[in-house]
Amino acid sequence: MPPLIIVGGVFFDLATPPAYTAAPLFSAAPLVAAPFFSRLTTLLTGIAAILASVGLHAYNDTLSDVPSLTETLTVVTVSALAMLINLVVRRSGERLASARVIAEAAQRAVLPMPAERIAGLQCAARYEAAQADAFIGGDLFAVQDSPHGVRLVVGDVRGKGMDAVEAVAVVIGAFREAAEQEATLEGVAQRLERALTREGARREGLDAFEGFTTAVLAEIPREGESVRLVNRGHPPPLLLFGDGRLETIEPTEPALPLGMGELSVWPDRADERAYPPGATLLFFTDGLSEARDAYGVFYDPAARLAGAVFPGPQELLDALVDDVRRHTGGRSTDDMALLAVSRPAAGAPERRRTMPVVPPGPAG
């Protein structure tokens, strides 16, 4: 663009009477280069604009005229300002790059991705932030191999911003410790409840009384083909079988979210469900189930995934994220955390056929 502007200015000056000047174009060229190109390119653009202005005035024999001197001085001044703008933009870019590195490190520390294989299970996780260039928010997931089996949690903290991130760190830290020490999944849930109660006690204002976290906890024993779940007000996970069948794992008894234990009078009770080889557990936050299209229709993961077969949990999440983006048109108003855990079938091939999330219907 900057060379084209300068060349266009030269042709404009040559094709018009002397009363018309291309000085605005020569001034615009370095300003266009400043935020997009390197310091050297900006400098060369400014020099080219100055030489073009001086050369045209010399060609028109107006070099010593006051208006010509003013125009040339204007181009020189704007070129100098373009160099300053380039310097500011470069420093801002360096600071932004540094901030992104720090944010990525914070994400890995607060919300680490689980290993691809944990105790014979295949795992995959995704975090899709609603805010552009954001890395972490109020959604969370964690997977822990413990003496009692593989334990995991997926949750959604009420609120936004740094308070939500702090609560995420509290929940995951408490879960890591409780998953190792507590003999039952119900005990893990109670440890998280106490941790959030302590967190709420140090807060002020509305968050001190209305801070809570919806969560679903799961335990996959090393022996057998089952999974135990405790759901505390969270969207129910899905169980995808190897033949394309799908089951929504609704809790037997609804329960309040974590952090609202003072309002409940019944203890946690884990539900146990069959989890056969070849099946995949899909956990998600309400950023998935409440994603809307242009007409306000919510995304229904159970309906969209029914009948689909995927080679593994990572392919499942990739297809799911792509389908949500198509559904919403790329718009998102809430963070979305996804966790998929597959129990490989004995003797199953590494990869199987993959069906689209929504099989295409008849034309028309």
Side-chain angles (χ1 to χ4, degrees):
M1 179 68 74
L4 292 177
I5 293 175
I6 295 175
V7 172
V10 171
F11 279 103
F12 175 83
D13 195 278
L14 293 175
T16 57
Y20 296 91
T21 176
L25 294 175
F26 297 144
S27 299
L31 289 178
V32 172
F36 300 109
F37 296 96
S38 66
R39 185 183 310 170
L40 178 60
T41 301
T42 304
L43 176 62
L44 293 177
T45 302
I47 292 174
I50 295 169
L51 292 178
S53 178
V54 172
L56 287 170
H57 289 311
Y59 176 79
N60 294 322
D61 198 20
T62 58
L63 190 58
S64 59
D65 294 350
V66 173
S68 300
L69 292 174
T70 302
E71 292 173 5
T72 302
L73 181 61
T74 300
V75 177
V76 171
T77 303
V78 172
S79 298
L81 289 175
M83 290 297 298
L84 180 61
I85 292 171
N86 181 267
L87 177 63
V88 172
V89 170
R90 285 173 60 86
R91 288 183 176 177
S92 299
E94 291 171 357
R95 286 195 292 267
L96 178 60
S98 177
R100 290 180 64 88
V101 170
I102 294 172
E104 290 174 357
Q107 182 186 37
R108 288 192 293 268
V110 175
L111 197 66
M113 287 291 174
E116 292 184 1
R117 295 190 68 88
I118 300 177
L121 302 173
Q122 297 176 348
C123 301
R126 291 284 291 272
Y127 192 101
E128 296 288 326
Q131 184 178 356
D133 297 325
F135 291 91
I136 53 177
D139 291 7
L140 62 97
F141 51 74
V143 183
Q144 182 87 4
D145 187 12
S146 75
H148 314 283
V150 176
R151 287 175 168 175
L152 59 89
V153 61
V154 175
D156 187 357
V157 174
R158 174 194 171 275
K160 303 288 185 182
M162 289 306 301
D163 286 342
V165 175
E166 291 176 2
V168 167
V170 169
V171 172
I172 292 181
F175 170 78
R176 296 288 189 194
E177 182 179 1
E180 290 286 338
Q181 298 177 356
E182 294 293 336
T184 65
L185 194 61
E186 294 88 341
V188 176
Q190 288 304 309
R191 286 279 286 272
L192 299 186
E193 180 77 43
R194 293 193 293 271
L196 284 172
T197 300
R198 292 193 301 270
E199 172 69 9
R202 71 175 186 82
R203 296 193 177 193
E204 299 178 353
L206 190 63
D207 285 341
F209 302 97
E210 296 190 1
F212 60 85
T213 299
T214 67
V216 57
L217 296 95
E219 178 182 275
I220 305 172
R222 299 182 186 279
E223 302 296 334
E225 298 178 359
S226 65
V227 58
R228 290 191 284 270
L229 300 109
V230 170
N231 194 323
R232 297 294 295 271
H234 198 76
L238 303 179
L239 181 60
L240 288 73
F241 295 93
D243 57 3
R245 292 182 297 115
L246 183 147
E247 177 184 341
T248 301
I249 308 180
E250 297 282 356
T252 303
E253 296 182 6
L256 294 175
L258 297 169
M260 303 181 70
E262 295 180 355
L263 303 179
S264 64
V265 295
W266 58 88
D268 287 305
R269 291 187 178 88
D271 294 323
E272 187 164 352
R273 302 294 178 90
Y275 180 32
T280 299
L281 283 165
L282 174 63
F283 303 86
F284 54 89
T285 57
D286 59 9
L288 175 69
S289 55
E290 295 182 2
R292 304 188 186 196
D293 63 10
Y295 303 98
V297 178
F298 288 112
Y299 186 85
D300 186 352
R304 309 282 285 198
L305 290 170
V309 178
F310 303 93
Q314 187 61 59
E315 289 81 1
L316 165 61
L317 298 190
D318 290 342
L320 189 58
V321 170
D322 290 342
D323 194 49
V324 172
R325 287 173 180 165
R326 287 192 295 269
H327 179 79
T328 62
R331 301 177 302 272
S332 181
T333 59
D334 195 6
D335 295 349
M336 179 173 64
L338 306 171
L339 177 64
V341 181
S342 297
R343 186 194 294 275
E350 283 295 318
R351 302 187 69 84
R352 298 172 295 167
R353 63 189 181 92
T354 301
M355 294 176 58
V357 173
V358 183

